[in-house]
Amino acid sequence: MRPFIRYMVWVVDGTRLKKDYPRFFEGRKHIKTGYKNGFFLVHFPEECFPIAWVESSKMVIFDFKGTVPNEPQDEMRNTLWCLLPGRAKNRAVMIGISRQDFVATAMKHAELLPEPAHEIVSAYDKLLIELEAREQQAQTQRRQIRNPHRANMARRL
């Protein structure tokens, strides 16, 4: 038996509930630029997104623009925010995409991303682990430079 839906993306109206956009806007302090253009890491996704969607096994796209013409617009509202499934070092991976790019990609390709979402998240996980190891190594080297006598004592033990 073949699966009914092989590739699925949820698009969520981020203005349906009054608190969803203010939560996202306020939660932007937890969003850090990723290591690829258009990618972001979210340290506390439950403080940015509706809890019902945070642990989705599928990509979820949040549209905060709304349909009311009088709503104030800003770059956060005018971007579609794609929350990828899974976590990289306990951080969510998110992609910002314009509506035009989303529609153009959806019309030309069977999938929105050039590689599966879980592979992107896994690559970020490996990268963050590697960066953390490098930072620990750099801290150790800085300590040894600041206190070479202690470093020599530690080597003798």
Side-chain angles (χ1 to χ4, degrees):
M1 179 152 108
R2 291 187 346 200
F4 178 67
I5 299 174
R6 185 170 160 253
Y7 182 75
M8 186 165 117
V9 174
W10 289 99
V11 179
V12 175
D13 178 0
T15 62
R16 187 178 70 83
L17 300 174
K18 290 184 181 203
K19 292 184 179 183
D20 284 353
Y21 181 69
R23 177 191 312 126
F24 179 71
F25 190 77
E26 185 63 30
R28 74 188 185 280
K29 62 187 168 214
H30 301 296
I31 300 171
K32 305 295 180 210
T33 302
Y35 300 97
K36 286 174 103 173
N37 190 27
F39 284 74
F40 302 87
L41 295 170
V42 185
H43 290 270
F44 300 102
E46 63 281 353
E47 293 186 22
C48 295
F49 298 105
I51 200 71
W53 296 103
V54 169
E55 295 297 328
S56 176
S57 63
K58 302 289 182 191
M59 182 181 351
V60 181
I61 299 175
F62 293 90
D63 181 354
F64 293 106
K65 187 169 186 170
T67 57
V68 180
N70 296 340
E71 286 287 328
Q73 298 299 307
D74 57 45
E75 193 59 33
M76 298 290 283
R77 278 193 192 272
N78 290 326
T79 301
L80 294 176
W81 298 99
C82 310
L83 184 63
L84 302 184
R87 295 290 176 266
K89 289 289 287 175
N90 297 320
R91 296 172 184 96
V93 179
M94 181 176 74
I95 303 169
I97 185 171
S98 72
R99 283 172 175 68
Q100 296 80 9
D101 287 347
F102 173 75
V103 171
T105 302
M107 291 179 70
K108 291 180 186 175
H109 304 285
E111 297 186 8
L112 185 60
L113 301 173
E115 55 191 293
H118 72 276
E119 289 181 15
I120 294 170
V121 174
S122 179
Y124 261 97
D125 190 57
K126 289 175 185 170
L127 176 64
L128 292 171
I129 289 169
E130 182 181 314
L131 291 172
E132 191 176 272
R134 285 184 191 169
E135 179 59 29
Q136 287 177 350
Q137 189 176 34
Q139 287 177 358
T140 301
Q141 289 173 346
R142 285 192 292 270
R143 273 188 245 122
Q144 289 173 348
I145 289 170
R146 276 187 254 134
N147 198 343
H149 179 70
R150 180 179 272 171
N152 288 334
M153 292 288 290
R155 276 190 223 131
R156 285 187 213 150
L157 298 176

